[in-house]
Amino acid sequence: MQDVVEKVYEQVVARNRGEVEFHQAVHEVLDSLGPVIAKHPHYAEGALLERIVEPERQIMFRVPWVDDAGQVHVNRGFRIEFNSALGPYKGGLRFHPSVNAGIIKFLGFEQIFKNALTAQGIGGGKGGSDFDPHGRSDAEVMRFCQSFMTELSRHIGPSTDVPAGDIGVGGREIGYMFGQYKRLRNSYDAGVLTGKGLAWGGSLVRTEATGYGAVLFAQSMLATRGESLEGKKVIVSGGGNVAIYAIEKAQQLGAIPITFSDSSGYVVDEAGVDLELLKQIKEVERGRVADYVERRPGARLVTGGSVWDVPGDVALPCATQNELDGDAANTLLRGGCGVVSEGANMPSTPEAVEAFQKAGILFGPGKAANAGGVATSALEMEQNAGRTRWDFATAEAKLTGIMADIHDSCVAAAEEYGRPGDYVLGANAAGFTRVADVMIAHGIV
Ligand code: NDP
Ligand code: 2IT
């Protein structure tokens, strides 16, 4: 790492003690900026780097709620409004017991550059709570969402900050939060949240967008080597929104996804995943991946080890941060994996990324590969602002075009800064320069 960026990194570690995921995300971006700053030294002036690593605003609040048995719980809510140079803060809300300030900050920081790559005029933010929706009734989830939104509503708005879903937050939660926002504000601001239901301002393709985008990104990377996904065995982790629609798009493109997982284990279905069954279990019944093997002869559940032990041609990590470590990366490489496209945010550890890059395989980092979700959120905002609705084909064509543009921007930036084929450098450099140019234009703010 260059001296000038090293100093900024040290300051981040000192000022944000114990926030290891945030340190990791900042390190990865700053590490890519050496060649950018060497070529354009003005990016290190005016404390630009010091400003970009400091959130514009951090909101942390109490979320009290009452469970079905009458017991009172207190969770912690967060919204990190990280950077508004390019547009209103935009990014999801995560409900998971592991959520803390450092995790939300890492996600918010990634979001700045991801959103810049989409070129949709959106700033970066993220939020969430350490609330665990697993095993909670609809009524409990509703009361939690209402309490969470009672505070959050003071801070958001269609031109200010536009949350959406992430782990543990899907259509049901967005619905409860939108209902409460509308009631508190007495205003039908459809554009205040994305990932809405289709009957009340949602966009077709938003549900599918992140998973579809990650697979489209893999396909674009393969095309640079004259290859395609056709006939390739795909190893997918996660069993939620991103994993399900990554499997769907991979199947549409002729690939054969054979795994998925959740925190209790992973499923291997060598015949190819039965997507309708998986959707029924995860989306309709809110069940566990273990339920799948009971209804699908030939599929097996593995509760020890890691899904990355299964050999395949393509890996799509779609669960959570740091789910794929250096050992897992080496196992994947030994199994013949030649493409990794990150559906999740920062799923590969630094050691894993290094192993992939050393091996010279195609590696698409999350901030580029999973940007289809937030890009389609921006398309939802566009439809809301115009009080219009596009059909599926129109929205999907726009998503496909945006993913192709992101891919090409990464390729061009990697070439410009002397590391052709390095999508990590390409994504960070292209995202950073877009934000940095506008921050400079806006003065010291
Ligand atoms: P979901 O809540 O729909 O699914 C998450 C899946 O990952 C579940 O199968 C869950 O298993 C598993 N998982 C979550 N945390 C852990 C953990 N700590 N250990 C093991 N498994 C875990 O979330 P999404 O599919 O929306 O999100 C998946 C990833 O994609 C996240 O990294 C998210 O930030 C990222 N992402 C999501 C976008 C979106 O549009 N939704 C956009 C861009 C990125 P279990 O149920 O057992 O917890
Ligand atoms: O990580 C992400 O990009 C998301 N969870 C989606 C954010 C959004 O605003 O759609």
Side-chain angles (χ1 to χ4, degrees):
M1 202 183 258
Q2 259 195 358
D3 280 1
V4 48
V5 284
E6 178 83 47
K7 249 201 241 136
V8 176
Y9 177 67
E10 280 166 11
Q11 212 176 66
V12 165
V13 172
R15 272 187 141 178
N16 302 274
R17 281 173 206 269
E19 297 182 350
V20 289
E21 291 88 359
F22 180 48
H23 304 166
Q24 183 183 338
V26 170
H27 191 278
E28 192 238 303
V29 171
L30 290 180
D31 200 33
S32 291
L33 297 186
V36 180
I37 287 160
K39 196 164 173 187
H40 307 289
H42 70 283
Y43 286 133
E45 292 166 8
L48 183 103
L49 297 173
E50 289 84 345
R51 283 188 285 142
I52 214 167
V53 296
E54 186 66 21
E56 290 177 16
R57 190 175 298 107
Q58 305 187 47
I59 302 149
M60 199 166 141
F61 49 98
R62 178 169 73 197
V63 189
W65 59 281
V66 186
D67 70 18
D68 289 345
Q71 196 187 332
V72 179
H73 298 258
V74 179
N75 284 100
R76 191 170 272 182
F78 300 89
R79 187 71 183 166
I80 308 280
E81 297 181 333
F82 220 122
N83 192 299
S84 61
L86 295 179
Y89 309 106
K90 182 84 196 88
L93 297 171
R94 175 178 293 191
F95 292 170
H96 192 272
S98 64
V99 162
N100 57 41
I103 286 186
I104 299 300
K105 247 189 247 176
F106 119 64
L107 291 162
F109 187 71
E110 285 284 291
Q111 202 83 47
I112 303 170
F113 309 102
K114 180 196 302 192
N115 293 4
L117 286 170
T118 70
Q120 297 300 301
I122 40 180
K126 199 84 186 192
S129 173
D130 55 5
F131 172 70
D132 186 357
H134 286 112
R136 291 290 172 194
S137 68
D138 283 354
E140 288 175 322
V141 169
M142 181 182 73
R143 287 195 293 275
F144 175 81
C145 288
Q146 289 176 340
S147 181
F148 183 84
M149 182 51 85
T150 299
E151 174 61 32
L152 188 69
S153 65
R154 305 168 201 267
H155 309 287
I156 62 176
S159 304
T160 309
D161 184 354
V162 184
D166 193 82
I167 291 176
V169 178
R172 174 182 62 172
E173 291 74 19
I174 294 293
Y176 294 148
M177 286 191 274
F178 185 74
Q180 182 73 347
Y181 177 91
K182 178 169 68 65
R183 175 191 193 193
L184 290 166
R185 292 289 187 96
N186 190 27
S187 180
Y188 206 109
D189 295 333
V192 72
L193 290 169
T194 60
K196 298 182 294 294
L198 296 175
W200 41 280
S203 174
L204 285 161
V205 187
R206 177 61 190 90
T207 301
E208 294 83 357
T210 310
Y212 275 23
V215 173
L216 293 171
F217 199 85
Q219 192 196 33
S220 293
M221 291 196 293
L222 277 162
T224 64
R225 297 191 174 172
E227 293 179 52
S228 80
L229 280 164
E230 183 76 40
K232 294 214 162 43
K233 246 191 203 184
V234 183
I235 310 302
V236 179
S237 69
N241 171 264
V242 180
I244 287 171
Y245 291 95
I247 290 170
E248 182 162 292
K249 181 52 78 180
Q251 288 180 344
Q252 287 172 9
L253 295 177
I256 309 146
I258 58 166
T259 67
F260 53 86
S261 68
D262 63 20
S263 53
S264 56
Y266 66 91
V267 169
V268 186
D269 188 345
E270 292 286 353
V273 173
D274 178 342
L275 188 60
E276 285 321 303
L277 178 59
L278 180 61
K279 282 186 182 176
Q280 171 66 26
I281 289 167
K282 298 303 286 187
E283 295 186 333
V284 180
E285 300 169 18
R286 294 185 182 276
R288 307 295 293 159
V289 299
D291 303 338
Y292 180 95
V293 296
E294 282 167 24
R295 297 189 224 167
R296 174 82 169 165
R300 61 195 164 91
L301 175 73
V302 186
T303 51
S306 132
V307 69
W308 312 119
D309 295 338
V310 183
D313 307 305
V314 178
L316 303 175
C318 298
T320 193
Q321 66 274 357
N322 293 327
E323 56 163 313
L324 199 172
D325 64 13
D327 288 343
N330 286 315
T331 307
L332 275 174
L333 290 167
R334 278 195 301 276
C337 176
V339 187
V340 178
S341 187
E342 294 187 328
N345 284 305
M346 208 169 74
S348 309
T349 65
E351 295 74 26
V353 176
E354 199 186 328
F356 293 142
Q357 294 198 314
K358 237 192 196 152
I361 69 160
L362 296 163
F363 174 72
K367 66 170 71 66
N370 72 39
V374 75
T376 307
S377 279
L379 300 178
E380 183 172 329
M381 291 162 71
E382 187 180 337
Q383 291 166 81
N384 295 153
R387 299 186 64 80
T388 187
R389 277 185 57 132
W390 305 332
D391 60 20
F392 194 95
T394 304
E396 191 179 19
K398 285 181 192 270
L399 168 65
T400 305
I402 292 169
M403 291 312 298
D405 287 347
I406 293 173
H407 174 266
D408 295 352
S409 302
C410 294
V411 168
E415 272 170 21
E416 181 181 351
Y417 296 108
R419 293 226 292 269
D422 182 342
Y423 287 90
V424 174
L425 174 78
N428 287 330
F432 168 79
T433 52
R434 285 183 195 176
V435 181
D437 288 342
V438 175
M439 286 176 71
I440 291 166
H442 288 173
I444 308 294
V445 289

